[in-house]
Amino acid sequence: MNTLTRDDTRRLLNKVPEVTLIFWIIKIAATTLGETAGDAVSMSMQLGYLVGTAIFAAIFLTAVAVQIKAKRFHPFLYWTTIIATTTVGTTLADFADRSLGIGYAGGAASLLMLLLTSLAIWYRSLGTVSVASVSSPQAELFYWVTIMFSQTLGTALGDWTADTAGLGYEGGALVFSALLATLVVAYYKTSLSRTLLFWSAFILTRPLGAVLGDLLDKPLALGGLALSRYWASAVLLVFIVACILLLPQRGARQGH
């Protein structure tokens, strides 16, 4: 008879994956997919940012409810929820920045405050914001709300960098890649909080995905490659599914 060790039991209870290289590869692909899929619904289908946000918000809320009710870590369910947060983040940020006229800088500032508030309330309530502690419905709820804010903030940051700051999509991709590389160096060469480094990297992968997605599907006249949003989204989705199937993940260990 197979017996579970204490670490095995903790992994079953923790419904988020261990933070490894494959985690970050899938995360960047998922955020890029969020940009292309969000644009496909709001722009290519001409449904608009508000309708697109409503559609993806419904998917996001459903996925979070299923994720919280699940008894253990399910890779496909987890990444479906992540993709839902990044697509709703894309359309919501575009709606606030463009339709409401808040602008990229105003939208990014507002979303940063919401993100920091979410993390502060989470920490005050549970004493930690480490992803390794996400093993209760309350912690999961904080986790997904925080992620939704971070994904929306990332969209606004990516658009601000590429458009308002005038760096373009390639320039924006280089900037965010360099910032992520700096965090990698900090992880291996310093004693900075691993939780701080995780959330910093998590936030920065979203604007990287945003500018990469825009680089793929925006018109040539705007600095993009003018690829089909549908085909780009399909290829990214196939890539993510292949990663999940070929590179198995396991739940994070509590306390790590």
Side-chain angles (χ1 to χ4, degrees), residues 80-130:
T80 295
T81 312
I82 287 289
I83 292 170
T85 65
T86 194
T87 48
V88 73
T90 296
T91 55
L92 181 58
D94 287 342
F95 175 72
D97 296 340
R98 301 170 186 174
S99 298
L100 297 182
I102 295 176
Y104 299 133
S110 299
L111 288 162
L112 177 60
M113 290 303 300
L114 288 172
L115 174 61
L116 293 176
T117 300
S118 176
L119 286 169
I121 295 174
W122 181 0
Y123 185 83
R124 185 175 179 84
S125 299
L126 300 181
T128 179
V129 294
S130 169

Side-chain angles (χ1 to χ4, degrees), residues 3-13 253-254:
T3 58
L4 293 175
T5 66
R6 179 175 296 180
D7 280 348
D8 291 330
T9 302
R10 286 175 174 173
R11 287 195 183 99
L12 290 175
L13 292 174
R253 289 183 293 172
Q254 294 182 35

Side-chain angles (χ1 to χ4, degrees), residues 112-160:
L112 177 60
M113 290 303 300
L114 288 172
L115 174 61
L116 293 176
T117 300
S118 176
L119 286 169
I121 295 174
W122 181 0
Y123 185 83
R124 185 175 179 84
S125 299
L126 300 181
T128 179
V129 294
S130 169
V131 295
S133 69
V134 183
S135 57
S136 69
Q138 186 180 11
E140 279 192 272
L141 187 58
F142 280 124
Y143 177 78
W144 289 112
V145 169
T146 301
I147 284 180
M148 192 270 289
F149 285 143
S150 76
Q151 303 282 43
T152 311
L153 169 63
T155 301
L157 282 176
D159 290 341
W160 179 84

Side-chain angles (χ1 to χ4, degrees), residues 32-42 56 83 87 91 217 229 233:
T32 308
L33 171 60
E35 191 71 20
T36 57
D39 287 348
V41 171
S42 62
F56 291 125
I83 292 170
T87 48
T91 55
D217 66 28
R229 292 184 177 110
S233 298

